[in-house]
Amino acid sequence: MKTPKELKVKPIRNGTVIDHITANRALNVLKILDLPNGEAAVTIAMNVKSSQMEKKDIVKIEGRELKSKEVDKIALIAPQATINIVRDYEIAEKGKVELTNKVKGILKCPNPNCITNANEPVKTQFYVMEKEPVTLRCYHCERMMVEEDIESQFRL
Ligand code: CTP
Ligand code: ZN
């Protein structure tokens, strides 16, 4: 009997490949990307084998390059992700996501008593205490946030 060939995810012509996403976080990445309803062609692979990580997710978006704000958010839930810009089937640019030292205005503080949850005009702000696994501390109330807390804020 012929052994079936391994199924590879189809290459894209133009767009962005977000590779080396933490396993099982592809849907969080989709949540972060502001994709117009039913327009972009999106390919998702979850829990695929990788040489660098045990398992990873991949998200490919046809015809779209990412905004820097989106890349910053992806860094919070998939610190190993690589962003590949594809033009005419070739990798035109390759970069890694990177966490900055402060995260401003993206996340909600999980502490209900935090000033940022009191209907005051105070923006959220977190210090990055650790990059891997991502650990944050609220600038206002010192509440710590771990990756699971962050992940739960980006669910479809
Ligand atoms: N890719 C794609 N369409 C293309 C070209 C590449 O979907 N036209 C995808 C590949 O499948 C891969 C990613 O983009 O998931 C990065 O491609 P490449 O740099 O060729 O792969 P690697 O060398 O394995 O990347 P890395 O070194 O980042 O692991
Ligand atoms: Zn707080």
Side-chain angles (χ1 to χ4, degrees), residues 69-97:
K69 184 128 199 198
E70 293 171 318
V71 177
D72 292 347
K73 288 183 186 172
I74 292 169
L76 286 167
I77 53 137
Q80 313 226 43
T82 49
I83 311 285
N84 300 277
I85 310 285
V86 178
R87 295 188 190 123
D88 206 14
Y89 287 108
E90 301 285 337
I91 304 283
E93 283 172 46
K94 187 188 277 285
K96 275 200 73 122
V97 300

Side-chain angles (χ1 to χ4, degrees), residues 25-33 72-74 76-77 103 106-108 145 147-156:
R25 299 252 168 98
L27 299 180
N28 303 105
V29 170
L30 283 192
K31 174 72 183 178
I32 286 167
L33 301 177
D72 292 347
K73 288 183 186 172
I74 292 169
L76 286 167
I77 53 137
V103 180
I106 295 174
L107 298 164
K108 279 201 281 186
M145 266 177 101
E147 255 183 55
E148 288 67 35
D149 303 319
I150 303 168
E151 182 274 333
S152 70
Q153 295 193 23
F154 298 109
R155 287 202 183 141
L156 282 177

Side-chain angles (χ1 to χ4, degrees), residues 58-126:
I58 309 170
V59 170
K60 303 187 185 193
I61 309 130
E62 198 65 69
R64 161 97 137 72
E65 297 183 5
L66 303 190
K67 302 172 196 128
S68 65
K69 184 128 199 198
E70 293 171 318
V71 177
D72 292 347
K73 288 183 186 172
I74 292 169
L76 286 167
I77 53 137
Q80 313 226 43
T82 49
I83 311 285
N84 300 277
I85 310 285
V86 178
R87 295 188 190 123
D88 206 14
Y89 287 108
E90 301 285 337
I91 304 283
E93 283 172 46
K94 187 188 277 285
K96 275 200 73 122
V97 300
E98 229 210 293
L99 263 186
T100 48
N101 293 325
K102 285 181 193 169
V103 180
K104 289 186 187 176
I106 295 174
L107 298 164
K108 279 201 281 186
C109 181
N111 174 8
N113 298 320
C114 181
I115 179 81
T116 59
N117 289 317
N119 282 322
E120 299 284 341
V122 183
K123 268 199 178 178
T124 65
Q125 188 171 318
F126 296 88

